[in-house]
Amino acid sequence: MRKQWTKQELIDFESEIGVLYENNQLPFLFHLSGGNEDQLIDIFSQINEGDWVISNHRNHYHALLHGIPPEIVKQRIIDGRSMFIYDNQRKFFVSAIIGGTPAIAAGIAWALKKKGSQNKVWCFIGDGTEDNGHLFEAARYVDGWNLPCNFVIESNNRSVEASNEDRWGTQSNLQWNFDCVTKYEYECSYPHCRKPGMIDLEETLKVKKTDEEYFPPLPDFKYPDLPLKLLEDDKPTYKEGVKRSMQKLAERGAIFIGYNVKYGKAMGTLEGVPDDQLVETPVAENLMSGLAIGMSLEGFLPVIYFERHDFMLVAADAIVNHIDKIERISHGEFKVPVIMRAVAADAGPFYSGPTHSQNLTEMFRRAVDFPVICPQDGLGVIWAVDGALASGQPMMMIEKKSLY
């Protein structure tokens, strides 16, 4: 049973966190909640235990109202995790990369509907997230497929210091026409981050830890070797290796996400995969990636199909800031075993031009810690996919059209 918080109790909790800061105990970024106690108490009265709550950098009230004990929230803040308060047991997920959460929420909602669950997703976002197109595409997707997800815009008319009018002029008060989007306005009791007043920075250095101490790196995982019998007796072509690996994933219930997966069958490599495991998406790579993350948080095995490296730049936020880092920044609370198929258009009868034929393999290898593998033959493909399954972690497989 969740604690029923009063307005004053919420205010007192944040005041206590503010005192820790004034006493030089919080040498890192944090964002205090305040001014919206009444609205949130009312909203959370509609949220059931078992529902997902997706929050952001200003998450303390959300965490408390969704049932995370105050002593745990306080300790997470002291441990440098104010923007990273995760709780898998209570279905509480956050991201301080504000544009990333709507698509993740949509993916969780897709998974809940697929399972026939009665639970819902509640995604809390500020007017900074309202500013970007990621919310629009996620809300359109949720409404279009009637997914159990509500987006709650908490508008304090402030992005750091700039008002909505400063950013959008006469279009500052956007009216949403999606059933899944609600919006309330409030005046935040605190600045964008921390609280007014300068603290003793020399004193804070005495308690400040390293990045590795706040967020320990994940242990390395060595992909197992292929069985000797397979190496001796089987020499599939490159494309055969891809098709066989995709079939193996399909037999494990994998969900294949992207455009041209249902009708183009990903250049024929998804032939034989049941239609209900193929999710044809809009041309929206960030949405595709967020859907995959959300599905994985509900136990599905997602495979994203990017038909060109060039288009993956639109998904770079989801790949680099979320797929790569969620397990680490959540201290293992959440895992995202997403497999990404990244096709490099290095061959074909038609020249595609500089924006449709780039190979960004090395860029991604520098940007992420999960394996970015470029198989050169069919067995290499099978090894990469088998290794990803064994690791339970993300993997990006580079596919070259010239090898098909």
Side-chain angles (χ1 to χ4, degrees):
M1 178 69 69
R2 294 183 305 196
K3 171 179 169 57
Q4 301 303 303
W5 286 80
T6 66
K7 177 177 180 177
Q8 192 58 50
E9 286 174 327
L10 292 171
I11 293 171
D12 290 346
F13 179 88
E14 289 295 66
S15 296
E16 184 179 349
I17 301 304
V19 170
L20 290 174
Y21 173 68
E22 293 168 342
N23 291 336
N24 308 310
Q25 297 302 302
L26 303 181
F28 32 71
L29 196 60
F30 63 93
H31 306 76
L32 295 173
S33 303
N36 57 344
E37 295 84 8
D38 290 330
Q39 294 95 324
L40 285 178
I41 288 172
D42 178 61
I43 291 170
F44 272 84
S45 70
Q46 306 167 52
I47 299 176
N48 296 318
E49 294 187 41
D51 284 353
W52 280 84
V53 169
I54 312 298
S55 186
N56 49 62
H57 54 288
R58 199 179 304 280
N59 59 54
H60 301 170
Y61 280 179
H62 302 150
L64 295 170
L65 288 166
H66 200 47
I68 301 180
E71 62 272 16
I72 292 179
V73 176
K74 180 180 177 180
Q75 190 60 51
R76 297 274 172 87
I77 296 168
I78 292 172
D79 291 339
R81 297 169 63 185
S82 174
M83 297 191 292
F84 310 96
I85 297 176
Y86 295 89
D87 193 313
N88 195 2
Q89 178 184 347
R90 295 176 178 86
K91 305 301 181 186
F92 188 82
F93 180 92
V94 303
S95 175
I97 304 298
I98 59 174
T101 56
I104 295 172
I108 296 172
W110 183 96
L112 292 176
K113 183 175 181 179
K114 181 80 169 177
K115 291 179 173 181
S117 171
Q118 298 303 306
N119 291 118
K120 300 175 65 174
V121 185
W122 299 77
C123 182
F124 290 86
I125 51 184
D127 44 7
T129 301
E130 185 185 20
D131 282 354
N132 65 58
H134 296 326
L135 173 59
F136 178 85
E137 63 190 24
R140 184 180 178 186
Y141 193 84
V142 164
D143 259 21
W145 292 102
N146 192 28
L147 302 180
C149 179
N150 293 321
F151 298 103
V152 182
I153 301 172
E154 303 177 297
S155 177
N156 57 23
N157 193 25
R158 188 182 71 196
S159 177
V160 186
E161 297 298 335
S163 69
N164 291 337
E165 290 78 9
D166 291 328
R167 304 195 301 275
W168 290 103
T170 60
Q171 293 296 317
S172 61
N173 187 21
L174 181 65
Q175 301 300 308
W176 287 84
N177 295 318
F178 295 117
D179 292 337
C180 62
V181 178
T182 59
K183 183 177 180 178
Y184 72 85
E185 298 179 354
Y186 76 106
E187 183 175 347
C188 191
S189 307
Y190 295 96
H192 168 67
C193 60
R194 296 182 290 272
K195 62 178 298 186
M198 181 54 67
I199 61 175
D200 189 332
L201 298 180
E202 289 188 2
E203 285 298 314
T204 64
L205 289 176
K206 296 177 182 179
V207 297
K208 185 179 180 181
K209 301 177 183 178
T210 66
D211 179 67
E212 289 74 18
E213 289 175 311
Y214 286 125
F215 300 100
L218 300 176
D220 291 332
F221 180 86
K222 184 180 183 301
Y223 279 30
D225 295 331
L226 289 172
L228 182 61
K229 180 173 177 54
L230 182 63
L231 293 171
E232 292 176 343
D233 300 344
D234 200 356
K235 303 294 179 185
T237 66
Y238 185 87
K239 190 168 186 177
E240 287 170 348
V242 175
K243 292 177 71 173
R244 280 169 49 176
S245 293
M246 296 306 106
Q247 188 59 45
K248 181 174 185 176
L249 291 170
E251 291 170 356
R252 295 197 176 199
I255 304 296
F256 299 85
I257 304 163
Y259 42 89
N260 297 326
V261 297
K262 183 172 287 188
Y263 301 105
K265 300 294 184 184
M267 294 189 293
T269 59
L270 297 178
E271 295 288 349
V273 175
D275 276 356
D276 64 354
Q277 291 175 244
L278 303 174
V279 177
E280 189 76 16
T281 69
V283 183
E285 286 80 4
N286 187 79
L287 175 65
M288 290 159 47
S289 304
L291 290 172
I293 295 168
M295 292 176 190
S296 73
L297 296 181
E298 268 292 319
F300 285 89
L301 174 60
V303 180
I304 315 173
Y305 176 69
F306 296 107
E307 64 176 23
R308 293 181 191 271
H309 278 208
D310 317 74
F311 307 160
M312 295 175 68
L313 293 175
V314 181
D317 169 54
I319 294 171
V320 176
N321 284 319
H322 289 106
I323 293 175
D324 182 54
K325 296 187 173 58
I326 285 174
E327 184 174 355
R328 181 186 174 201
I329 62 178
S330 72
H331 283 228
E333 288 269 348
F334 294 100
K335 298 179 184 293
V336 283
V338 175
I339 295 175
M340 291 149 278
R341 295 180 55 189
V343 179
D346 64 339
F350 302 105
Y351 173 58
S352 302
T355 62
H356 283 58
S357 55
Q358 297 175 86
N359 187 329
L360 303 178
T361 302
E362 293 308 314
M363 183 196 79
F364 280 112
R365 282 177 172 160
R366 288 193 295 270
V368 301
D369 290 326
F370 61 71
V372 178
I373 302 172
C374 187
Q376 297 302 307
D377 55 32
L379 287 178
V381 171
I382 293 171
W383 173 80
V385 172
D386 284 358
L389 287 172
S391 74
Q393 296 176 341
M395 185 272 288
M396 181 184 295
M397 183 169 71
I398 308 300
E399 300 180 27
K400 294 184 177 181
K401 281 190 176 180
S402 60
L403 296 176
Y404 273 54

